[in-house]
Amino acid sequence: MRQQLRPALGSSSVRTMFATTARIAQTLVVYIGAQSRRRDLEWTDLMARYATDVIGSCAFGIDCRTVRDPGSEFRAMGHRAFRCSLRRMWKLRFGYACRRIADAMRLCVSEPSVEQFFLQLCQSTVLHRESYQVVKRDFLQQLLEMKANGALDMRQVAGQCYSFFIAGFETCASLLSFCLYELAKHGAVQDRLRGSIVAALDETDGQLSYDMVMALGYLDQVVKETLRMYPPVDFLFRVASNDYPIDGFGTIPQGTLLVVPVHALHRDPAYYPQPDVYNPDRFAAGSKLSGASKNRAPFMPFGLGPRHCIGDTFGLMLVKVGLVAMVRSFRFTLDVDRTPENVTFKPRSLVLAAGSGMYLNVERV
């Protein structure tokens, strides 16, 4: 399935989704401009609404409008999909520790009502497209072409759309909110980023394009440094496919469940000097600040190897377009009364999230 889906999430396909993403990012800018004086605007939630709109449009081909309407059903179902109850956490633990038994029991971590909502949504959207011969260049259209060729059935199409949405919107929201948090704390970094964006826009007569956004070097450094300090998926599970001998430690037996502590590795001073200092120049071309040239510093916000996240190109495009749209239009500072200088993390969360919420002051540039 991964091999079949890879073209649907490759650079050429993501490029076709750029215009939709840029349009929604502009809607976000208009909304922020109208709400900028509100002190109760929580930015993690707002970024989740932006990501929901983008992924809903690109995966399901529908206008979710959750940026403007926080109470939309689509946003409510996305929130329920990531609701972290004690029952759900134990299901996850049991599923990872006793996978064969969990499979035999047909253990389901997701709420049935959430899955049913997305299944019906996808089925109705496909029925509309096939009945009226509507063609859109989005993720769903790629899946429908695979369905027409016999590679997928309807339930698999709906399942892949659901997975695309669930895997993308909360992780992108986490990355965006922590990017804004660090930019708000570091005015010099924010000003430098804004300067690079303005310079690039001057060369394109103010027009955003996929190539321009993805080629912004300093923006890429800012995003990577944020991913280093705040990887949305802060640990990974893997199962040994073979017996692996390790010098000095014996052998890891086949089938052993391994936990990779991504957050801890990204903050290890042996790899990243002064790991708690936000420094995008670590990822400048030719930089040795990260220690990568000597110690091969680990960097795995999307995982590594054959099971890495295949949606990384789309996720980065979504995040970068949103940052360009916001940073070119607004200056962000930290609301110190509501957001602490040193962030603490929410203990019960499926992705890395600030424990006390994210509140920022905003003014137009």
Side-chain angles (χ1 to χ4, degrees), residues 59 88 100 109 125 154 160 173 248 250 260 304 322 339 342 346 348 351 360:
R88 188 175 191 184
R100 291 183 180 179
V109 175
T125 304
M154 185 60 236
Q160 292 306 321
V260 183
L304 292 173
T339 305
N342 298 313
K346 188 182 296 184
R348 283 188 184 178
V351 300
L360 306 173

Side-chain angles (χ1 to χ4, degrees), residues 178-190:
F178 282 122
C179 266
L180 292 176
Y181 170 75
E182 288 295 340
L183 291 173
K185 286 176 60 179
H186 299 87
V189 174
Q190 185 181 162

Side-chain angles (χ1 to χ4, degrees), residues 26-335:
Q26 187 56 40
T27 300
L28 174 65
V29 168
V30 172
Y31 180 84
I32 294 172
Q35 306 290 326
S36 59
R37 294 186 180 277
R38 285 178 51 187
R39 296 197 67 231
D40 62 339
L41 188 62
E42 205 283 309
W43 284 79
T44 303
D45 177 70
L46 180 58
M47 294 302 96
R49 284 149 54 190
Y50 161 68
T52 296
D53 276 2
V54 173
I55 297 175
S57 293
C58 294
F60 295 92
I62 62 174
D63 187 0
C64 304
R65 300 183 181 182
T66 56
V67 167
R68 289 168 289 183
D69 180 14
S72 69
E73 187 177 16
F74 211 103
R75 173 61 183 137
M77 285 298 171
H79 179 73
R80 290 179 62 180
F82 271 85
R83 188 163 52 189
C84 198
S85 64
L86 188 61
R87 176 187 177 91
R88 188 175 191 184
M89 293 303 292
W90 277 110
K91 280 186 176 183
L92 282 168
R93 286 173 180 264
F94 181 79
Y96 281 121
C98 309
R99 186 169 181 175
R100 291 183 180 179
I101 299 176
D103 285 345
M105 294 172 59
R106 302 177 66 85
L107 185 68
C108 181
V109 175
S110 301
E111 293 186 29
S113 59
V114 175
E115 290 196 347
Q116 191 63 27
F117 169 79
F118 283 102
L119 177 61
Q120 291 178 350
L121 177 67
C122 192
Q123 287 176 332
S124 61
T125 304
V126 169
L127 179 62
H128 173 80
R129 290 195 184 188
E130 292 180 342
S131 299
Y132 294 95
Q133 296 183 339
V134 176
V135 177
K136 295 184 178 181
R137 299 317 306 171
D138 54 20
F139 181 67
L140 178 58
Q141 190 64 42
Q142 305 266 358
L143 296 177
L144 290 180
E145 292 172 4
M146 294 170 65
K147 175 176 174 287
N149 295 330
L152 298 174
D153 60 29
M154 185 60 236
R155 194 167 186 84
Q156 288 173 321
V157 169
Q160 292 306 321
C161 284
Y162 176 71
S163 297
F164 183 46
F165 175 75
I166 292 301
F169 91 96
E170 198 75 11
T171 51
C172 289
S174 173
L175 174 54
L176 276 164
S177 61
F178 282 122
C179 266
L180 292 176
Y181 170 75
E182 288 295 340
L183 291 173
K185 286 176 60 179
H186 299 87
V189 174
Q190 185 181 162
D191 290 340
R192 182 178 170 186
L193 176 59
R194 185 176 298 107
S196 68
I197 292 171
V198 170
L201 287 170
D202 286 343
E203 295 180 2
T204 61
D205 294 327
Q207 298 299 310
L208 288 180
S209 69
Y210 177 83
D211 291 328
M212 184 273 279
V213 171
M214 301 305 282
L216 282 169
Y218 194 64
L219 174 62
D220 190 61
Q221 292 173 220
V222 166
V223 170
K224 284 182 177 177
E225 177 67 346
T226 308
L227 284 170
R228 180 193 69 81
M229 293 186 69
Y230 308 101
V233 181
D234 54 332
F235 60 90
L236 301 171
F237 286 116
R238 291 293 183 267
V239 177
S241 56
N242 297 294
D243 292 339
Y244 286 99
I246 300 179
D247 293 341
F249 291 94
T251 300
I252 297 176
Q254 179 181 354
T256 301
L257 176 67
L258 306 173
V259 180
V260 183
V262 176
H263 185 270
L265 290 170
H266 283 190
R267 298 269 186 143
D268 191 333
Y271 299 115
Y272 296 98
Q274 297 181 297
D276 295 328
V277 174
Y278 187 76
N279 182 10
D281 284 331
R282 294 179 199 273
F283 294 94
S287 171
K288 296 182 180 180
L289 290 175
S290 68
S293 60
K294 182 178 180 181
N295 298 322
R296 298 187 64 190
F299 184 70
M300 53 184 77
F302 300 102
L304 292 173
R307 294 189 62 82
H308 78 285
C309 175
I310 62 173
D312 55 353
T313 301
F314 174 81
L316 288 173
M317 185 271 292
L318 182 159
V319 168
K320 289 181 177 182
V321 171
L323 285 174
V324 167
M326 289 186 288
V327 173
R328 71 184 287 199
S329 301
F330 304 103
R331 179 173 286 103
F332 299 93
T333 55
L334 206 61
D335 185 344

